[in-house]
Amino acid sequence: MSTTSSNGLLLTSMSGRHDDMEAGSAKTDHSDHEELEHDPDDPFDLDNTKNASVAALRRWRQAALVLNASRRFRYTLDLNKEEHYENRRRMIRAHAQVIRAALLFKLAGEQQIGAFGSSSSTPATSTGNFDIDLEKLVSMTRNQNMSNLQQLGGVKGVAEKLKSNLEQGIEEDEKEVTDRKNAFGSNTYPKKKGKSFYMFLWEAWQDLTLIILIIAAVTSLALGIKTEGLKEGWLDGGSIAFAVLLVIIVTAVSDYRQSLQFQNLNDEKRNIQLEVMRGGRTVKISIYDVVVGDVIPLRIGDQVPADGVLISGHSLAIDESSMTGESKIVNKDQKSPFLMSGCKVADGVGSMLVTGVGINTEWGLLMASISEDTGEETPLQVRLNGLATFIGIVGLTVALVVLVALLVRYFTGTTQDSNGATQFVKGTTSISDIVDDCVKIFTIAVTIVVVAVPEGLPLAVTLTLAYSMRKMMADKALVRRLSACETMGSATTICSDKTGTLTLNQMTVVETYAGGSKMDVADNPSGLHPKLVALISEGVAQNTTGNVFHPKDGGEVEISGSPTEKAILSWAYKLGMKFDTIRSESAIIHAFPFNSEKKRGGVAVLRGDSEVFIHWKGAAEIVLSCCTQYMDSNGTLQPIDTQKEFFRLAIDAMAKNSLRCVAIACRTQELNKVPKEQEDLDKWDLPEDELTLLAIVGIKDPCRPGVREAVRICTSAGVKVRMVTGDNLQTAKAIALECGILASDTEAVEPTIIEGKVFRELSEKEREQVAKRITVMGRSSPNDKLLLVQALRKNGDVVAVTGDGTNDAPALHEADIGLSMGISGTEVAKESSDIIILDDNFASVVKVVRWGRSVYANIQKFIQFQLTVNVAALIINVVAAMSSGDVPLKAVQLLWVNLIMDTLGALALATEPPTDHLMHRTPVGRREPLITNIMWRNLLVQSLYQVAVLLVLNFAGLSVLGLKQDSNHAHAVEVKNTMIFNAFVMCQIFNEFNARKPDEMNVFSGVTKNPLFIAIVGVTFVLQILIVTFLGEFAHTVPLSWQLWLASIAIGLVSWPLAVVGKLIPVPKTPMSIYFKKPFRKYKASRNA
């Protein structure tokens, strides 16, 4: 066990300092930096858990002082998860049929009818009107049986038997979907049931000290009944047992509520939205609503939502590692057409026919057999375990000292009872009395351990994270990894995409250059030759992943696809493009899907039997560089040499006006040069030279409202916003100026704005130097983004990065916080990210920063409050035990204080909403001391006041309270001890307000925004009145007069003005952690010398 943990008490940071904070920290002199480095000997010095090794995670757990392991480690990572997952996957692959049969039998037996949100799945009842048997369909897909597929007539034959259309999909009709669910099952699986409330009760009961207290209570109960009879004898033991039971119930209720919150968040994470073809139109549905017979388009980054057969595809490659365990990418074509649910599209495009859903797939069986692991360490959680261990060791030592002191005083005959009689007289006191008295002494020592060991401290992180995650959903952020929520508070830079994040992603073509000149109206074809319009229309209609749907009732045309695709399709439609006609008159024989590295995509189109056209579309200046001619307004081909400069200037002019520039070009290809065999065709590189330029379009994507203000808030909070975009550098610069990322034109010089190509060609050392100065990176590839993230992290930055594409996955994984886009992001990007921004809005990213800082600030508030209680309770009991052989705060009273301090205190303070004050300071350094100098000051001022008042009451209480005249000495002592207990609790109630604002004078600001805080303070106060007034024998209290109640409240009330005076005391710049750490460093150095 590590007894020299520097964590929490003894940690600080070299980066991200801040002058004032919710529990502020002072800047540190450079001379102290050697004291602030990572300590390899400290198991709790783990400032990033995102990619931490299993050995490091296991090490801190073994070093922690833990009283209830099942509760303390409930929300940490299951270190055997990967092994368990792999074993289940292998078993399902080997015995899928048997497992499925057992699951169907169980579902039928329980008569569960499933839908998303329940724990069940819909088993198939009959195949109804369909011409294919469910078992045959499932067997064919699972065994990837090509001969069965061919017997059924290939994918076309299967579609006919499933009454589905390979181009139109199934009918968009509720009855149709229900029939298919009844025949082939729903795309859900029976989820493993979460822990019941009774399990949480059982886990709360596992606390070692509570078990010891129950044993002590039972012993005391037995001895009490034996010596004093049932009427009086049950009180001591019964009261402790009841108090322990109350602690267990309150703890279990709190933990159970947290688990339900996590369960809801997991349901949200699993509910993927995807596009399917129904009735010829593209509709967005939940993954749980996919049915057999659905036609689903597949693009890079998508998750395969069900088992199925490939209809058609171009360069389609699937990552099947999640199901096969092998990390190789598998190419899918007509020779290998089977697709497995749960796999990811690594490359290419295609469409599939769904043949198996839910538990009729291996993925469904796997999901039904494993529990969702919500556990995961967070850096703060690890550090708080270190702090809890440190405080726990101190508490154990104090408890041991108290135990020894009380036993010594008892057996030496210096301890007196409330009537002034000596408790132990050698040879006179009976054995049962001795045992009873010793049990009471032991109970007090164990109760001190309960109060001293802050078991709830690390769990307060989970509480505040659960609360924050729920509230962040309302702020359009879905947290996938707990630690990201907290790490966001330390973010020093955000590398943001442009499109959709800083801009609205609502694109329209506003400028067009076609026929060698600028068109007066961007979408008016009157000045263009029909041949040019026909080529543009064919290029747009075939070289797209979008769709144009004409409703049968003649309603408004529906255009679907990515925002860029929709803008270009709308523009071409207005030019006269007949989408369905073009696609029926020509066929795509090969495609090169849009690639973020090459910034362009192309298709080879066969017209009739003889003519092949290659159509390209992409970044204007890149496509332009491949062109050797252009088509003029008369439909004649002209050499481009004389006009190339004109087009370049046109692109620059559009880019400076914040327009995204896309060029459309084509070329012919001789049929004999096109590969004949499918295998050769799949490997064919589309020719991209000697292109004919058809058109250049400028697409407007306006800045999001409020993004400028969001960028300003980030800047004032010490978080640098960097734009990383694949767009033209001039477009990026224009948007950056509009958003406030660049302050003025004078800033827009290299390397403040830089092209991805320039950055990537630098050496590693040069990249690290340049990265600090980069504000805008244009024409960047996903690899450039990864290189920038790596360089920034090496410079000590805590980096948040946004991404939406599959190729962004490495950068999202590498960054400290990966933020994927909920609307435009691919499933691969989402799975690699830590937080999903549901509305793709940069303003939501800023809200996440606020919540991250709030988590850290709330934990510090709770630490300050809890340690004040700890210090005061320990000192008063130790001093009293050493001097008089008795303690004023009894076991039941300490358990009530522990309840206020641990569970209720955490609920009140860990759920404080974020304030604007959080964004008026620089980021929280990763290695900031958990207990800052401001907290030390506040803690010591309040603790010393409480200790001073309580010791005065303890030793001079009879005189001060005017109780010396009381003829009943025992009653006078009880009143004094009740007054001590009451005053102590009042101090905690009033000090809870002080803990809300560690560095602000007005501790009441915003208190009405946290009704839970007010409710908990109110309930605590009411319960205290009930305990003192009506539970006298039970809680070792007597009713107090109204004068003593006023005195108790006044003692507590003094903590408010005292806090204000305390905040006027200046604190040193050097963190106290330095002074704690120096002796350990010197000791280690001397041992290593």
Side-chain angles (χ1 to χ4, degrees):
M1 184 181 293
S2 170
T3 59
T4 60
S5 168
S6 63
N7 193 61
L9 284 168
L10 313 178
L11 276 185
T12 192
S13 173
M14 290 166 60
S15 65
R17 313 299 309 168
H18 49 92
D19 291 306
D20 72 300
M21 50 182 285
E22 289 274 315
S25 164
K27 291 195 182 267
T28 311
D29 293 334
H30 184 75
S31 58
D32 291 318
H33 278 189
E34 70 264 17
E35 304 288 348
L36 311 179
E37 293 167 3
H38 169 70
D39 183 358
D41 297 325
D42 182 3
F44 301 106
D45 195 354
L46 193 68
D47 60 8
N48 188 6
T49 57
K50 184 170 179 179
N51 299 311
S53 67
V54 171
L57 297 180
R58 189 168 276 124
R59 185 171 166 235
W60 80 258
R61 295 181 200 192
Q62 290 168 346
L65 174 67
V66 179
L67 299 176
N68 186 346
S70 61
R71 183 168 183 250
R72 178 79 73 87
F73 297 134
R74 181 187 298 134
Y75 293 113
T76 55
L77 184 70
D78 178 3
L79 300 181
N80 300 316
K81 176 188 169 188
E82 286 300 321
E83 187 182 345
H84 173 68
Y85 180 90
E86 185 63 19
N87 289 340
R88 295 298 302 175
R89 186 188 59 72
R90 281 180 186 156
M91 190 173 82
I92 283 166
R93 295 230 80 198
H95 309 290
Q97 200 161 348
V98 177
I99 294 167
R100 177 171 165 267
L103 205 51
L104 284 169
F105 181 77
K106 180 186 170 190
L107 287 173
E110 294 175 359
Q111 294 186 327
Q112 292 177 317
I113 297 175
F116 168 60
S118 75
S119 61
S120 61
S121 170
T122 307
T125 50
S126 73
T127 49
N129 301 320
F130 302 102
D131 302 330
I132 189 166
D133 180 59
L134 170 66
E135 293 305 320
K136 190 173 184 180
L137 199 60
V138 171
S139 172
M140 175 191 75
T141 311
R142 186 176 60 240
N143 300 323
Q144 304 200 354
N145 193 321
M146 279 299 294
S147 61
N148 277 10
L149 179 63
Q150 284 161 0
Q151 282 171 18
L152 292 167
V155 67
K156 196 173 180 182
V158 173
E160 284 172 5
K161 287 177 170 40
L162 290 172
K163 298 185 177 174
S164 178
N165 185 304
L166 293 180
E167 290 179 2
Q168 305 280 315
I170 64 171
E171 286 303 312
E172 195 178 356
D173 175 52
E174 194 63 41
K175 185 179 180 301
E176 175 84 6
V177 172
T178 305
D179 287 347
R180 289 175 186 275
K181 282 185 179 179
N182 290 336
F184 302 106
S186 68
N187 201 26
T188 54
Y189 48 86
K191 289 182 287 184
K192 278 207 164 184
K193 288 179 182 175
K195 287 180 184 175
S196 68
F197 176 66
Y198 300 105
M199 282 301 295
F200 285 96
L201 275 176
W202 175 250
E203 284 187 1
W205 159 262
Q206 302 302 303
D207 192 303
L208 181 61
T209 49
L210 295 183
I211 292 169
I212 294 170
L213 282 175
I214 287 288
I215 293 168
V218 170
T219 309
S220 179
L221 193 67
L223 288 168
I225 291 169
K226 184 185 174 186
T227 54
E228 298 175 43
L230 182 61
K231 191 176 180 181
E232 299 289 332
W234 74 273
L235 284 169
D236 278 352
S239 60
I240 292 170
F242 182 78
V244 169
L245 199 63
L246 184 66
V247 169
I248 288 170
I249 290 169
V250 172
T251 301
V253 168
S254 174
D255 291 349
Y256 182 61
R257 284 184 71 251
Q258 278 182 57
S259 78
L260 292 178
Q261 287 179 7
F262 283 125
Q263 203 171 306
N264 292 338
L265 286 165
N266 283 329
D267 288 341
E268 199 69 41
K269 280 191 275 187
R270 285 191 291 256
N271 188 14
I272 297 166
Q273 298 295 310
L274 54 97
E275 289 182 344
V276 299
M277 292 296 293
R278 286 188 178 171
R281 69 196 293 192
T282 306
V283 293
K284 208 156 197 174
I285 63 168
S286 162
I287 191 169
Y288 300 110
D289 295 328
V290 170
V291 292
V292 169
D294 264 328
V295 172
I296 299 178
L298 299 173
R299 302 183 188 94
I300 298 175
D302 286 351
Q303 177 176 312
V304 179
D307 280 3
V309 182
L310 181 69
I311 299 169
S312 64
H314 301 288
S315 310
L316 189 66
I318 305 291
D319 178 1
E320 295 184 346
S321 57
S322 59
M323 287 311 300
T324 64
E326 297 170 15
S327 57
K328 67 177 183 180
I329 304 296
V330 180
N331 291 310
K332 293 293 175 181
D333 50 31
Q334 297 310 320
K335 291 179 183 175
S336 175
F338 294 102
L339 297 155
M340 282 193 289
S341 178
C343 300
K344 303 289 186 301
V345 180
D347 198 9
V349 291
S351 59
M352 67 176 278
L353 175 71
V354 175
T355 57
V357 293
I359 57 168
N360 298 321
T361 70
E362 287 183 17
W363 177 255
L365 292 177
L366 181 60
M367 290 296 102
S369 67
I370 61 172
S371 301
E372 179 74 23
D373 182 22
T374 55
E376 174 222 339
E377 272 81 342
T378 77
L380 203 49
Q381 196 178 4
V382 177
R383 293 175 69 188
L384 283 170
N385 270 284
L387 180 58
T389 298
F390 184 90
I391 298 167
I393 290 165
V394 173
L396 278 172
T397 308
V398 169
L400 195 61
V401 168
V402 170
L403 180 64
V404 171
L406 289 176
L407 287 172
V408 167
R409 288 187 64 89
Y410 178 80
F411 285 109
T412 55
T414 54
T415 306
Q416 296 176 332
D417 62 21
S418 57
N419 295 313
T422 303
Q423 281 189 306
F424 175 77
V425 179
K426 193 174 181 182
T428 305
T429 308
S430 68
I431 295 293
S432 63
D433 284 344
I434 292 170
V435 171
D436 193 25
D437 290 338
C438 286
V439 166
K440 286 177 182 174
I441 290 169
F442 184 70
T443 301
I444 285 169
V446 173
T447 310
I448 287 172
V449 174
V450 173
V451 176
V453 178
E455 193 73 2
L457 190 55
L459 295 167
V461 183
T462 318
L463 186 89
T464 189
L465 285 172
Y467 166 78
S468 300
M469 286 165 73
R470 186 164 52 86
K471 291 292 186 181
M472 283 166 75
M473 279 293 289
D475 280 343
K476 305 297 181 188
L478 171 62
V479 179
R480 295 189 74 255
R481 293 184 70 252
L482 274 175
S483 62
C485 182
E486 148 195 327
T487 308
M488 203 66 186
S490 301
T492 57
T493 185
I494 300 171
C495 297
S496 175
D497 284 340
K498 176 185 77 68
T499 307
T501 309
L502 297 168
T503 62
L504 283 168
N505 220 4
Q506 294 173 2
M507 301 194 187
T508 46
V509 174
V510 294
E511 275 190 43
T512 304
Y513 286 80
S517 61
K518 182 178 178 180
M519 291 171 62
D520 293 332
V521 180
D523 50 16
N524 184 356
S526 59
L528 301 178
H529 194 276
K531 185 179 178 183
L532 177 57
V533 174
L535 280 171
I536 290 172
S537 298
E538 184 181 73
V540 172
Q542 292 288 23
N543 189 15
T544 184
T545 53
N547 187 43
V548 178
F549 174 72
H550 294 272
K552 290 174 185 173
D553 59 6
E556 195 174 326
V557 69
E558 294 175 20
I559 296 174
S560 59
S562 71
T564 308
E565 295 281 14
K566 281 164 76 175
I568 294 171
L569 283 167
S570 298
W571 168 75
Y573 177 73
K574 287 171 185 173
L575 286 181
M577 174 188 71
K578 291 181 170 49
F579 187 82
D580 292 333
T581 307
I582 291 168
R583 292 189 81 132
S584 63
E585 288 176 353
S586 56
I588 298 171
I589 55 173
H590 187 53
F592 177 83
F594 180 85
N595 184 302
S596 52
E597 291 285 344
K598 286 197 164 188
K599 307 288 182 198
R600 58 192 180 275
V603 290
V605 175
L606 179 64
R607 287 185 186 172
D609 297 323
S610 56
E611 213 173 5
V612 174
F613 268 80
I614 313 287
H615 289 280
W616 284 97
K617 179 178 73 187
E621 70 271 26
I622 294 174
V623 173
L624 180 64
S625 66
C626 301
C627 294
T628 55
Q629 50 191 0
Y630 72 96
M631 185 171 282
D632 66 17
S633 55
N634 299 316
T636 310
L637 297 181
Q638 302 287 353
I640 205 166
D641 297 341
T642 55
Q643 286 287 89
K644 213 159 202 175
E645 190 58 29
F646 166 75
F647 289 124
R648 279 205 192 97
L649 290 171
I651 292 166
D652 275 349
M654 286 192 285
K656 283 174 182 171
N657 288 325
S658 311
L659 303 186
R660 167 178 275 193
C661 304
V662 176
I664 298 163
C666 71
R667 61 163 286 169
T668 55
Q669 181 74 3
E670 293 170 26
L671 193 59
N672 59 4
K673 289 185 179 177
V674 177
K676 297 288 186 291
E677 297 298 321
Q678 186 63 45
E679 201 172 316
D680 296 329
L681 194 61
D682 288 340
K683 294 174 185 173
W684 182 40
D685 289 330
L686 286 181
E688 51 188 341
D689 56 340
E690 298 182 3
L691 301 184
T692 299
L693 181 67
L694 301 176
I696 299 172
V697 294
I699 302 171
K700 181 70 177 172
D701 183 14
C703 263
R704 283 184 179 275
V707 78
R708 192 178 182 89
E709 176 62 12
V711 170
R712 187 198 62 75
I713 290 169
C714 276
T715 307
S716 65
V719 182
K720 183 169 177 65
V721 180
R722 293 174 161 89
M723 181 199 288
V724 184
T725 176
D727 270 354
N728 181 304
L729 199 57
Q730 293 299 326
T731 308
K733 175 188 162 185
I735 292 286
L737 285 165
E738 200 177 333
C739 293
I741 292 172
L742 285 174
S744 64
D745 252 330
T746 53
E747 278 187 24
V749 291
E750 201 172 295
T752 305
I753 69 167
I754 193 170
E755 274 206 354
K757 183 183 175 186
V758 176
F759 181 70
R760 110 178 52 115
E761 287 170 354
L762 298 172
S763 68
E764 190 176 335
K765 202 74 187 165
E766 286 171 330
R767 280 200 297 270
E768 285 175 36
Q769 292 300 314
V770 168
K772 298 175 193 173
R773 299 169 61 190
I774 291 173
T775 302
V776 176
M777 186 186 285
R779 282 290 175 243
S780 70
S781 67
N783 193 52
D784 298 331
K785 188 185 279 188
L786 175 62
L787 291 172
L788 178 62
V789 169
Q790 288 171 337
L792 289 168
R793 290 191 73 207
K794 281 178 185 171
N795 286 331
D797 274 302
V798 178
V799 184
V801 66
T802 70
D804 52 14
T806 304
N807 293 335
D808 286 327
L812 290 168
H813 185 264
E814 177 72 20
D816 296 286
I817 314 103
L819 304 156
S820 64
M821 298 298 114
I823 299 170
S824 60
T826 64
E827 282 310 310
V828 170
K830 288 175 188 175
E831 287 219 349
S832 298
S833 69
D834 307 306
I835 298 173
I836 300 171
I837 304 300
L838 298 173
D839 62 355
D840 291 15
N841 192 344
F842 184 78
S844 299
V845 176
V846 180
K847 287 175 185 172
V848 174
V849 175
R850 282 185 66 187
W851 278 108
R853 293 186 178 193
S854 177
V855 167
Y856 194 87
N858 285 353
I859 293 302
Q860 288 188 311
K861 293 169 190 177
F862 180 54
I863 291 171
Q864 181 180 307
F865 174 67
Q866 190 170 50
L867 290 191
T868 306
V869 185
N870 274 67
V871 171
L874 289 179
I875 291 176
I876 180 75
N877 270 8
V878 169
V879 173
M882 301 289 277
S883 58
S884 63
D886 194 13
V887 288
L889 297 171
K890 306 300 181 192
V892 174
Q893 295 170 357
L894 282 173
L895 284 169
W896 168 234
V897 168
N898 185 63
L899 200 61
I900 296 172
M901 180 180 76
D902 246 15
T903 309
L904 297 179
L907 271 172
L909 293 168
T911 55
E912 279 279 309
T915 62
D916 291 338
H917 180 66
L918 291 166
M919 299 302 282
H920 295 158
R921 57 173 174 81
T922 50
V924 179
R926 268 182 159 174
R927 303 167 67 77
E928 288 281 350
L930 275 174
I931 307 176
T932 63
N933 288 1
I934 287 174
M935 290 169 68
W936 276 118
R937 178 195 64 197
N938 299 345
L939 190 156
L940 290 171
V941 165
Q942 294 295 333
S943 297
L944 290 173
Y945 165 68
Q946 290 179 22
V947 168
V949 170
L950 297 182
L951 287 179
V952 166
L953 286 174
N954 188 56
F955 293 110
L958 295 177
S959 302
V960 172
L961 301 173
L963 298 170
K964 278 207 167 181
Q965 292 80 20
D966 196 327
S967 55
N968 187 342
H969 179 73
H971 179 260
V973 171
E974 284 178 341
V975 171
K976 180 200 76 172
N977 285 344
T978 302
M979 183 65 187
I980 290 170
F981 168 55
N982 204 36
F984 184 59
V985 171
M986 288 300 129
C987 283
Q988 308 326 318
I989 289 173
F990 286 98
N991 191 41
E992 211 157 350
F993 285 88
N994 293 330
R996 288 185 66 248
K997 304 287 178 184
D999 63 334
E1000 292 182 56
M1001 290 296 182
N1002 183 6
V1003 297
F1004 305 107
S1005 67
V1007 73
T1008 54
K1009 292 178 182 175
N1010 189 358
L1012 187 61
F1013 178 89
I1014 296 168
I1016 286 170
V1017 168
V1019 167
T1020 307
F1021 188 75
V1022 170
L1023 287 175
Q1024 181 64 15
I1025 294 171
L1026 294 174
I1027 288 167
V1028 170
T1029 309
F1030 301 108
L1031 300 178
E1033 290 183 332
F1034 176 82
H1036 300 285
T1037 60
V1038 290
L1040 296 176
S1041 65
W1042 67 267
Q1043 292 96 335
L1044 290 180
W1045 267 106
L1046 282 179
S1048 299
I1049 291 168
I1051 288 168
L1053 199 60
V1054 170
S1055 68
W1056 285 351
L1058 189 67
V1060 173
V1061 173
K1063 284 166 187 174
L1064 299 174
I1065 301 170
V1067 293
K1069 286 187 176 182
T1070 305
M1072 294 283 283
S1073 56
I1074 299 297
Y1075 305 114
F1076 278 109
K1077 210 165 190 178
K1078 274 181 181 174
F1080 295 120
R1081 285 283 172 91
K1082 285 176 182 174
Y1083 174 67
K1084 284 178 188 175
S1086 64
R1087 285 190 66 182
N1088 295 334

